[in-house]
C-alpha cells in the first residue's frame, strides 16, 4: 500500500502542505500547473500517495489516471484554445524524470510553439522485431 514520503516535494504539494496553482482535486489526485511550464496551461496530474514511477503503481490506481488525463486534456484544450495536447509521463532519469513521484504531464500545444517531443525514427529489422515481440509477449504473461 503506497503512502506519503517525507522528503518528496510532490507528496507535499498534492497533500496541500506546499501551495500550488491547483486546477482539480479529489481523494486520490491533485492536478496543478507546472512551475516551469513547457507552454501556458501545462498541468501535472499527481497522486496524493507516493509512487516513484509507473511501474510501482497498482492496477486499481493506474486505472484512475487516464480518465483524469483525458478530462484535463479537454479542459486545457478548451481554456487555452490549444491546437493539440501532449499527454506524457517519464519514468527514471534516463527517460527525463526529474521528480521521482509519479506524475503525468498534460501540455497544450500550439502551432509553431517551442515544445519538442521527438525522437529519431530508426529502421526496423523484421526478424529482430519478430523475436522481440516473442520475448515481450512472454514477459507480459
Ligand atoms: P519530470 O521531468 O519529472 O517528468 O517533470 C517534473 C516537472 O515538475 C517539471 O516539468 C518541473 O517543471 C515540475 N516541477 C518541479 N518542481 C515543481 C514545483 O515545486 N512545483 C510545480 N508546480 N512544478 C514543479
Ligand atoms: Zn511523493
Amino acid at each position: 500500500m503506497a503512502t506519503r514520503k517525507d522528503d518528496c516535494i510532490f507528496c507535499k504539494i498534492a497533500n496541500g502542505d506546499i501551495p500550488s496553482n491547483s486546477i482539480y482535486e479529489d481523494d486520490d489526485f491533485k492536478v496543478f500547473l507546472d512551475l516551469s511550464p513547457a507552454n501556458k496551461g501545462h498541468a501535472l496530474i499527481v497522486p496524493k500517495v507516493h509512487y516513484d514511477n509507473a511501474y510501482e503503481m497498482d492496477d486499481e490506481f493506474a486505472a484512475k489516471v487516464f480518465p483524469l488525463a483525458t478530462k484535463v486534456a479537454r479542459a486545457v484544450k478548451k481554456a487555452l484554445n490549444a491546437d493539440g495536447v501532449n499527454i506524457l509521463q517519464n519514468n527514471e532519469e534516463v527517460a527525463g524524470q526529474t521528480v521521482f513521484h509519479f506524475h503525468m504531464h498534460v501540455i497544450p500545444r500550439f502551432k509553431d510553439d517551442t515544445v519538442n517531443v521527438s525522437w529519431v525514427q530508426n529502421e526496423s529489422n523484421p526478424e529482430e522485431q519478430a523475436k522481440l515481440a516473442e520475448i515481450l509477449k512472454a514477459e507480459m504473461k
Side-chain angles (χ1 to χ4, degrees):
M1 176 62 191
T3 54
R4 293 171 62 172
K5 198 174 168 190
D6 281 347
D7 58 348
C8 173
I9 180 92
F10 278 8
C11 278
K12 291 190 172 81
I13 295 175
N15 290 283
D17 300 337
I18 292 179
S20 64
N21 292 112
S22 174
I23 65 169
Y24 174 85
E25 184 169 7
D26 62 23
D27 288 346
D28 297 312
F29 298 94
K30 186 169 264 195
V31 183
F32 52 87
L33 295 181
D34 197 296
L35 190 63
S36 310
N39 266 335
K40 283 190 170 61
H42 179 172
L44 300 172
I45 297 169
V46 180
K48 290 185 175 182
V49 291
H50 184 95
Y51 298 97
D52 280 350
N53 50 47
Y55 336 124
E56 282 200 349
M57 197 171 277
D58 55 86
D59 289 354
E60 195 188 338
F61 204 93
K64 296 176 182 175
V65 176
F66 213 73
L68 183 52
T70 56
K71 188 179 171 82
V72 176
R74 285 190 288 269
V76 297
K77 178 166 167 60
K78 190 171 172 202
L80 279 297
N81 197 23
D83 301 314
V85 176
N86 287 120
I87 299 173
L88 57 91
Q89 192 273 315
N90 303 321
N91 299 288
E92 301 191 75
E93 196 174 350
V94 72
Q97 187 175 10
T98 59
V99 176
F100 296 92
H101 173 130
F102 173 94
H103 53 281
M104 190 167 267
H105 296 261
V106 181
I107 305 174
R109 297 299 304 272
F110 304 93
K111 193 174 178 300
D112 300 324
D113 67 17
T114 58
V115 181
N116 182 17
V117 183
S118 70
W119 53 85
V120 174
Q121 290 190 298
N122 298 294
E123 282 187 17
S124 62
N125 172 303
E127 278 174 26
E128 190 185 40
Q129 290 283 83
K131 271 187 203 156
L132 261 176
E134 287 308 315
I135 291 167
L136 291 170
K137 204 185 288 179
E139 201 62 48
M140 293 293 288
K141 282 179 184 154

